[in-house]
Amino acid sequence: MTRRELLAAVVASGWLAACGGGDDSNDAPPPQLEREVDGRAVVKLASGRAGLVALDEQLVSLAERGPRRTLVITPADGSALRRIDAPAGWSLVDFTLHPAGDITVVLTQDGLVRLWRLDALGTLKRNQPFMDPQVSSDAYYDAGGAIDPDGLQPVLTGDAARVFALGDSVLLVLRTGLNAVVAYRLHDTVNGYVQAWRTVVEPGGGVAGRFLTSGSHDVFDQLVNHAQFRADLAADGTLGIGVVNANNTVFAGHTWHFGEAISATYGLIFTRIGADGQRLGSSIVPTDQLSELHGLRAVPGGFMVVGRVRTTRPPDGSGWNAFVARVGTDGSVGEVQVVDVDRGDIFFDIAALPQGGYVAVGSTGWTQNPSGASISEEASLLVARLAADGRLQQRLAVPSGPRNNQLRAVINHQGQWLLGGQRNGPGTHSGDANATLIRADGFVARAPVF
């Protein structure tokens, strides 16, 4: 069966049953924002007219397909929680909140991409496949690796799609089967989403696979991070997109396609795209050593990028540290700040504080095989207050649970700072003998005073 025939079969099966549910009472009490999520990790939080919306995720072994995420809506009117799952065989990857209350969701499956439009309570309004026949003809910098020329997602991951609301329009960013990074603007019409523009952010190129010689769980998505990207939308409509220099080919492909010389070896390319689809420029964020990009957030005056960087390889496995850097609205890049709190450190998200500076969240106190990718089961929650230049000012106390602890999201929801993450998660080898140990206890909790 071809990909298109498979898509037609899935559509014919009907998806309305995958959405909705809950009580529509107007007399419900105020929404309960803090909650525990048994067996799943909370990986994203967003606040809007729809209320507090989250993604939680079932952790999977290396032998299983992922990501397995659920959209969770805590309605602003205090009515019952809504949980919305993807159909069988599909991954619910990302969502965005529109100003008027609608939610757009992006789903992926074996090179396919689909968009859902939901109302603020999660009722499905539109179910539309996304097609782009141009992907197979994008510029390709041949450096070997796995490709799917007609696909809309990389061979190595189904988690390389991000969506953003610009009014009623949608900005969609994909890493395609050629491993090109492409941005689109889609207008919302009575006939569905209609493409307004298409902009190549990075050309296609070979992306090699990464594997573990032993182990059962990819703790920080380190095996697929190089096939992903991070992005966010600024208030003025500028889209910021960060692509890490995977396998030392992204920088080379960028120079080959755009003619912009790059002297750095490690780090990421940060590209700004205007609301009209025009490239506003690309900047290099150099990290000097092997690094991973795990978070990107629009902030006043620019964007912040966060992740982890391998600074050394000591025998105790403590050589990875968190990093943070600022990219201005003009593309200027501030000094990359390395944050070393306790052995291994990683930042997943960052937000600007109203009094100045930032709060960044992640995980700390873990170790990694200095000659491999095995990460310890032990890891603690990390909340860090940073100065305006990204330097560490203070680690704030947040109670951790057993095993692997991570904070994946920090947001301000109607004046309250909230954290999302997991406690009691697995390390690389936790599930080797018992797959039921590949699980975590997710949570949404109030943040300490910043």
Side-chain angles (χ1 to χ4, degrees):
M1 180 181 288
T2 68
R3 180 185 288 122
R4 301 298 179 247
E5 290 170 336
L6 177 62
L7 178 61
V10 171
V11 174
S13 69
W15 286 11
L16 283 173
C19 294
D23 178 12
D24 292 325
S25 170
N26 292 323
D27 299 322
Q32 175 63 42
L33 300 178
E34 295 188 285
R35 63 182 65 254
E36 301 293 326
V37 184
D38 184 47
R40 305 174 69 91
V42 175
V43 298
K44 179 176 178 177
L45 296 172
S47 174
R49 189 168 179 178
L52 179 67
V53 184
L55 281 181
D56 65 37
E57 179 174 321
Q58 177 186 343
L59 305 186
V60 298
S61 76
L62 293 175
E64 297 177 289
R65 179 184 177 85
R68 297 181 181 176
R69 294 175 182 152
T70 297
L71 186 74
V72 183
I73 305 172
T74 304
D77 64 4
S79 56
L81 194 78
R82 269 72 169 175
R83 294 185 60 87
I84 300 168
D85 291 305
W90 286 78
S91 291
L92 194 160
V93 174
D94 194 26
F95 72 92
T96 187
L97 307 182
H98 293 272
D102 278 2
I103 305 168
T104 294
V105 178
V106 60
L107 305 100
T108 66
Q109 180 206 62
D110 293 334
L112 300 174
V113 172
R114 175 167 288 272
L115 294 170
W116 281 351
R117 183 90 170 204
L118 313 175
D119 69 13
L121 294 178
T123 302
L124 184 63
K125 299 171 62 175
R126 181 181 303 144
N127 176 11
Q128 181 175 339
F130 178 78
M131 305 291 189
D132 180 9
Q134 292 181 256
V135 294
S136 61
S137 58
D138 281 329
Y140 179 74
Y141 180 76
D142 192 352
I147 61 172
D148 174 15
D150 295 319
L152 288 170
Q153 285 288 273
V155 173
L156 299 177
T157 181
D159 189 11
R162 296 294 182 267
V163 63
F164 305 93
L166 187 57
D168 280 335
S169 295
V170 164
L171 298 182
L172 177 67
V173 188
L174 304 176
R175 192 153 201 169
T176 70
L178 279 179
N179 300 311
V181 180
V182 185
Y184 310 83
R185 181 168 182 173
L186 311 175
H187 287 316
D188 180 46
T189 74
V190 293
N191 296 316
Y193 290 119
V194 175
Q195 182 176 306
W197 50 254
R198 177 187 195 274
T199 301
V200 174
V201 180
E202 295 297 336
V207 173
R210 292 177 179 171
F211 308 95
L212 290 170
T213 56
S214 66
S216 52
H217 178 63
D218 185 7
V219 177
F220 296 141
D221 281 346
Q222 62 181 316
L223 302 184
V224 295
N225 179 266
H226 64 299
Q228 301 174 339
F229 62 88
R230 297 293 185 268
D232 200 9
L233 183 64
D236 66 355
T238 299
L239 184 63
I241 305 165
V243 184
V244 75
N245 186 30
N247 305 111
N248 298 319
T249 62
V250 171
F251 286 176
H254 182 94
T255 297
W256 167 79
H257 183 63
F258 293 109
E260 299 172 356
I262 300 172
S263 59
T265 302
Y266 298 103
L268 61 105
I269 301 178
F270 188 97
T271 299
R272 294 163 295 122
I273 305 292
D276 59 357
Q278 296 300 306
R279 292 178 62 94
L280 302 178
S282 293
S283 308
I284 303 302
V285 180
T287 56
D288 295 332
Q289 301 289 338
L290 180 66
S291 58
E292 297 169 358
L293 175 63
H294 287 277
L296 189 158
R297 183 78 81 95
V299 297
F303 298 84
M304 299 296 289
V305 294
V306 297
R308 68 173 187 155
V309 57
R310 189 178 64 196
T311 53
T312 58
R313 287 194 182 190
D316 66 357
S318 61
W320 287 89
N321 297 121
F323 82 85
V324 58
R326 179 183 176 88
V327 181
T329 53
D330 60 354
S332 59
V333 178
E335 181 180 356
V336 176
Q337 302 292 348
V338 175
V339 178
D340 181 3
V341 176
D342 176 19
R343 293 167 289 171
D345 309 287
I346 185 172
F347 284 151
F348 287 108
D349 198 10
I350 189 169
L353 295 172
Q355 69 270 31
Y358 306 93
V359 56
V361 300
S363 187
T364 189
W366 47 271
T367 58
Q368 179 166 335
N369 182 347
S371 301
S374 294
I375 294 173
S376 64
E377 191 174 76
E378 177 191 14
S380 299
L381 299 178
L382 176 58
V383 179
R385 185 162 54 207
L386 309 177
D389 63 359
R391 294 182 188 273
L392 177 65
Q393 289 185 318
Q394 182 184 7
R395 178 186 176 185
L396 302 175
V398 180
S400 293
R403 304 203 305 163
N404 192 283
N405 294 259
Q406 300 177 23
L407 284 172
R408 300 292 298 273
V410 56
I411 66 164
N412 191 303
H413 175 71
Q414 299 177 353
Q416 301 180 65
W417 285 97
L418 299 176
L419 304 172
Q422 70 174 46
R423 298 184 178 95
N424 196 27
T428 301
H429 296 282
S430 301
D432 291 3
N434 182 359
T436 64
L437 296 178
I438 302 177
R439 68 180 305 281
D441 297 323
F443 63 90
V444 177
R446 296 179 193 274
V449 175
F450 299 137

